[in-house]
Amino acid sequence: MNEAQFSIFDTFRKELKAFCSDFNSRFGDELAPLQKAAALKGGVPEYPIETPVVYNTALDELSDRSLITKIVIGDNPGKNEQLACNQKYLVGQAGKLAAGFFEKNPEFNTDFRKNVIILNKTPVHSAKTGHLKEILKNASPQLKEAVNASAVWMAQKTARLHQELCRASHNTSQAPELWLVGYAELKGRGLFLNYRDALKKEYFSEDGSARTEWNRVFVFQHFSMNRFTIDLGEFMKNQNIQNIKDGAEQLGTIHKLEIFK
């Protein structure tokens, strides 16, 4: 990151850390038993709830020397992510699959742990993303409002971070792409429709025209259960695309048009 980009990023991570800390202070005691109950009801063996609202401490490892090629957005922190010894996003099986994908495809010039700002649609933990529905069903009105508002806050802050990093870049190689992975909850009656709508709003002017940075936003299947790689592989095979970067750009654009109608 150049000096301007690092200043933008540093401001963002400080705001995110403060947001998560405040959320934990206000609602952590109410959230933890709801998270445990939702996991047990969903058939997940009991595990310790150590961080109800998770800030990604991996952001603190990025510096002004870090080359950021992508902002990757998952769903929300799972069992491994919320452990006190981790408190990092996408460190479970999905994260390992993501890291492996970029390692196997050097064309992307991306080390998942060094060149990516990893974020989520909400910092609120649940063993599985779908368990958020059970948590919200049993939450107090104040907590329910706060969880929903957290997705809108994340969408707004993430979109602004992406656009500001792009605008502060000295050349195309310094302008990161935004990869929104896990679109199942972004359509139909999904959990993150408010995130989807808030994100899109940040990329469009009042006259309805898209900002330049919208061209660097892509939507994909989640890395979990290898869905991302399977979806991309099938698309490239069906379209007879040989270059994986071209395939990802085309597929990510198609999914973006499907989600952001």
Side-chain angles (χ1 to χ4, degrees), residues 202-213:
E202 292 294 325
Y203 284 93
F204 284 78
S205 302
E206 291 184 1
D207 63 3
S209 61
R211 304 186 193 280
T212 303
E213 296 79 19

Side-chain angles (χ1 to χ4, degrees), residues 42-54:
V44 177
E46 189 169 356
Y47 65 95
I49 306 291
E50 298 179 346
T51 319
V53 182
V54 186

Side-chain angles (χ1 to χ4, degrees), residues 16 18 25 38 43-44 52 58 73 97 114 153 158 161 198 225 247 249 252 255:
L16 178 57
S25 296
V44 177
I73 305 162
L97 289 169
K114 294 180 180 179
W153 189 91
T158 299
L161 170 68
M225 300 176 67
E249 181 175 343
H255 285 329

